[in-house]
């Protein structure tokens, strides 16, 4: 084979192992060209989405270049939604489903989501999160997990995969080998999971074993250091974890996808190009990129790095070819799954609302105070969310409550405003609530000291206030009237509003 022909073949192989994002609601010319040159996957984000119908037109245009093109999306439902980023998810997330603990309901919700995604032309969903949220201070997982019990997470991971794939969309269990017991956000730096192998086997791995048994054909690696298996390299870049643990011990023979390769946990040390080469060398088959780095130049840089790594002996050509082969095999299988997907339209609000309502828990003090008979003042305490949660995605209780109790007023307060003194709770929360009900909406108050202080201060001043916690439930005074939604999706906010207004 001539050197130019060989270089061209290497470029096709390199393109085929990338899963890039792009900007815009129509397919850019460079993506169409790259698909023609061998690109086998793309990933969609909220910036690409206006409606299901528009996405269907977009994916049809992309597949005109390659009918087996893998179209991926990071759609967990609940707090992490792309397909409904503009409105908030009409389905609750994993913690709500794990709290209900009805696997039939979880399967039905995932199937409903799958029907919507399949209608839009999506063939791979980077979900479910199979992480066991064993560390309540975890800044990246939280309500994205089905819970803190490995058995609960395992059975709902199974149900979610079955439901989604019954509708014709491939699932992807993440973030292997488990991102639930960390205290650092991998978008910014490298977290460590210091447990021993026995603890990892008992705590983190059961949901991934269950996912493999349930027929999942894609697993996403996590950017975290697991010293029990590899003291030097994060899981995404670690052959002992990807090959030794996932392939050999768990018996997984499907597609290994990296978490977003531009995340700080790997790029701060190796650069985006170096991290890509190391990931493929370690056993990653498909490199997800483009949540942040969505330019043509990024794809060109990564292709160049992979080709140079093969030519320089850093990356064995057989490993790149093996990865490309797994991508082709997955693409063919997922196209068949999509073609055979169950019929029917997504129920939209129906099953999602029912699930969100079943997940709400109300303390005795709150039950005694409800329903509200006059329009309240609502104070929403807004944290800085991690990058997996779209900043544009609406959340809260004030808007759906205003629809049910006209005259409801509201304010949204952030930590910086309180710390800088530009906002005072006395003026924005207590004074407007004088003579009327006060509703305080929190999101992980137990994890944010400023939010915990605000809730404590407000409930001390107004012992009759009702607290709606939309994140992880934390320890609180038993006398406080509380509602727990176990997630901040639009469906969960509506469910809480209905309970407050007595319209459920």
């Amino acid at each position: 084979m001539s050197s130019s022909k060989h270089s061209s073949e290497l470029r096709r192989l390199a393109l085929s192992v990338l899963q890039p994002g792009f900007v815009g609601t129509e397919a850019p010319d460079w993506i169409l060209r790259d698909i023609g040159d061998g690109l086998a996957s793309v990933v969609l984000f909220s910036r690409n989405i206006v409606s299901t119908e528009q996405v269907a037109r977009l994916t049809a245009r992309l597949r005109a270049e390659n009918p087996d093109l893998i179209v991926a999306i990071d759609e967990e439902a609940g707090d992490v939604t792309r397909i409904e980023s503009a409105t908030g998810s009409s389905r609750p997330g994993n913690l709500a489903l794990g709290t209900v603990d009805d696997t039939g309901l979880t399967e039905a919700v995932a199937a409903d989501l799958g029907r919507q995604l399949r209608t839009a032309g999506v063939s791979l969903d980077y979900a479910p999160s199979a992480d066991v949220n064993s560390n309540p201070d975890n800044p990246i997982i939280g309500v994205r997990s089905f819970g803190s019990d490995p058995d609960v997470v395992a059975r709902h991971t199974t149900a979610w995969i079955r439901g989604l794939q019954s509708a014709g969309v491939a699932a992807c269990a993440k973030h292997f080998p488990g991102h639930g017991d960390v205290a650092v956000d991998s978008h910014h730096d490298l977290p460590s999971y210091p447990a021993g192998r026995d603890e990892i086997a008992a705590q983190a791995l059961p949901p991934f074993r269950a996912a493999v048994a349930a027929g999942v054909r894609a697993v996403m690696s996590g950017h975290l250091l697991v010293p029990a298996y590899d003291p030097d390299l994060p899981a995404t870049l670690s052959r002992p974890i990807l090959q030794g643990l996932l392939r050999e011990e768990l018996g997984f023979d499907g597609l290994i996808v990296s978490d977003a390769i531009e995340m700080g946990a790997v790029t701060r040390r190796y650069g985006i190009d170096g991290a890509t080469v190391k990931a493929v060398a370690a056993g990653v088959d498909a490199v997800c990129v483009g949540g942040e780095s969505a330019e043509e130049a990024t794809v060109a840089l990564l292709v160049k790095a992979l080709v140079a790594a093969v030519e320089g002996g850093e990356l064995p050509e057989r490993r790149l070819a093996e990865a490309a082969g797994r991508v082709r095999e997955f693409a063919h299988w997922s196209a068949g799954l999509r073609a055979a997907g169950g019929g029917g339209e997504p129920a939209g609000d129906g099953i999602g609302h029912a699930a969100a309502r079943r997940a709400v828990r109300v303390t005795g003090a709150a039950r005694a105070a409800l329903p509200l008979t006059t329009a309240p003042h609502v104070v929403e305490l807004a944290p800085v969310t991690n990058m997996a949660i779209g900043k544009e995605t609406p959340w809260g209780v004030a808007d759906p409550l205003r629809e049910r109790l006209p005259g409801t007023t509201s304010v949204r307060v952030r930590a910086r405003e309180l710390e800088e003194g530009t906002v005072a709770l006395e003026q924005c929360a207590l004074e407007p609530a004088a003579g009327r009900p006060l509703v305080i909406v929190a999101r992980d108050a137990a994890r944010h000291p400023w939010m915990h202080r605000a809730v404590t201060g407000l409930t001390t001043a107004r012992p009759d206030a009702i607290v709606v916690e939309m994140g992880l439930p934390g320890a609180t005074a038993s006398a406080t009237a509380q509602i727990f939604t176990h997630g901040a999706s639009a469906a969960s906010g509506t469910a809480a509003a209905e309970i407050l207004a007595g319209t459920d």
Side-chain angles (χ1 to χ4, degrees), residues 177 181 193-205 226-229 245:
D181 192 9
Y193 179 23
R197 291 194 181 197
D198 288 347
E199 183 181 339
I200 292 169
Q203 185 71 22
L205 294 183
V226 190
Y229 287 93
L245 180 57

Side-chain angles (χ1 to χ4, degrees), residues 78 87-91 349 353 356 393-396 400 470 488-496:
T87 58
S89 178
S90 59
R91 305 169 184 92
D349 232 16
H353 178 264
T393 304
W395 69 280
M470 302 192 79
S489 70
S492 297
T494 297

Side-chain angles (χ1 to χ4, degrees), residues 108-190:
V109 170
D112 187 60
L113 173 61
R115 285 189 288 272
Q116 182 180 13
L117 295 180
R118 180 177 175 273
T119 298
V122 171
S123 55
L124 169 62
D125 187 7
Y126 296 147
S129 167
D131 307 292
V132 180
N133 197 63
S134 47
N135 182 353
D137 290 328
N138 191 323
I140 186 65
I141 301 300
V143 298
R144 299 167 65 192
S145 167
F146 290 111
S148 58
D149 182 326
D151 292 336
V152 171
V153 177
R155 63 175 171 262
H156 287 278
T157 293
T158 295
W160 214 95
I161 290 166
R162 286 179 177 163
L164 189 78
Q165 295 193 164
S166 74
V169 176
C172 177
K174 65 185 184 185
H175 308 79
F176 188 82
H179 216 303
D181 192 9
V182 302
V184 171
D185 184 343
S186 51
H187 288 94
H188 305 299
D189 209 339
L190 181 63

Side-chain angles (χ1 to χ4, degrees), residues 115-488:
R115 285 189 288 272
Q116 182 180 13
L117 295 180
R118 180 177 175 273
T119 298
V122 171
S123 55
L124 169 62
D125 187 7
Y126 296 147
S129 167
D131 307 292
V132 180
N133 197 63
S134 47
N135 182 353
D137 290 328
N138 191 323
I140 186 65
I141 301 300
V143 298
R144 299 167 65 192
S145 167
F146 290 111
S148 58
D149 182 326
D151 292 336
V152 171
V153 177
R155 63 175 171 262
H156 287 278
T157 293
T158 295
W160 214 95
I161 290 166
R162 286 179 177 163
L164 189 78
Q165 295 193 164
S166 74
V169 176
C172 177
K174 65 185 184 185
H175 308 79
F176 188 82
H179 216 303
D181 192 9
V182 302
V184 171
D185 184 343
S186 51
H187 288 94
H188 305 299
D189 209 339
L190 181 63
S192 180
Y193 179 23
R197 291 194 181 197
D198 288 347
E199 183 181 339
I200 292 169
Q203 185 71 22
L205 294 183
F208 290 99
R209 292 188 186 277
V212 173
V216 79
R217 298 284 290 269
V219 170
M220 178 177 281
S221 64
H223 299 330
L224 70 161
L225 197 67
V226 190
Y229 287 93
D230 191 329
D232 301 316
L233 293 170
T236 297
L237 313 182
S238 170
R239 193 158 183 83
I241 292 174
L242 300 183
Q243 182 65 34
L245 180 57
L246 181 54
R247 291 234 184 267
E248 294 172 12
E249 187 175 327
L250 268 63
F252 178 68
D253 64 357
L255 188 74
I256 298 178
V257 184
S258 78
D259 203 348
I261 205 67
E262 65 262 49
M263 288 166 62
V266 290
T267 58
R268 284 184 65 169
R269 288 160 179 78
Y270 307 107
I272 192 171
D273 48 350
T276 296
V277 170
K278 286 183 177 294
V280 175
V284 164
D285 304 307
V287 177
C288 172
V289 63
E292 299 166 73
S293 303
E295 306 81 20
E296 179 181 8
T298 299
V299 174
L301 173 68
L302 300 190
V303 168
K304 182 180 178 181
L306 288 166
V307 170
V310 171
E311 293 176 339
E314 182 183 354
L315 174 63
E317 185 173 346
R318 66 180 180 279
R319 167 78 275 268
L320 183 61
E322 177 190 49
R326 279 214 176 87
V327 171
R328 282 195 304 274
E329 182 183 350
F330 181 88
H332 181 70
W333 171 79
S334 63
L337 184 72
R338 187 163 45 89
E345 291 298 313
D349 232 16
I351 186 68
H353 178 264
R357 179 63 187 85
R358 287 180 62 185
V360 176
R361 300 291 181 266
V362 183
T363 65
R367 278 195 292 270
L370 296 175
L372 301 177
T373 55
T374 56
H377 182 59
V378 181
V379 180
E380 295 178 334
L381 302 171
V384 176
T385 55
N386 64 66
M387 290 177 64
I389 300 170
K391 287 182 172 60
E392 74 283 354
T393 304
W395 69 280
V397 172
D399 287 344
L401 189 55
R402 193 174 291 112
E403 293 174 11
R404 290 155 180 82
L405 289 174
T408 294
T409 56
S410 65
V411 63
R412 184 163 285 190
V413 179
R414 295 166 179 81
R416 178 180 293 180
E417 296 166 334
L418 294 179
E419 291 162 359
E420 294 176 348
T422 55
V423 167
L425 291 176
E426 178 72 31
Q427 280 77 46
C428 75
L430 296 176
E431 289 179 5
R436 53 199 290 224
L438 173 63
V439 176
I440 305 161
V441 182
R443 195 171 180 180
D444 287 327
R447 204 169 59 76
H448 299 288
W450 74 270
M451 193 181 298
H452 180 75
R453 287 193 299 271
V455 171
T456 301
L458 289 171
T459 54
T460 298
R462 283 288 302 266
D464 62 329
I466 297 172
V467 178
V468 180
E469 173 56 80
M470 302 192 79
L472 282 177
T476 51
S478 58
T480 304
Q482 287 193 289
I483 297 172
F484 300 98
T485 63
H486 303 98

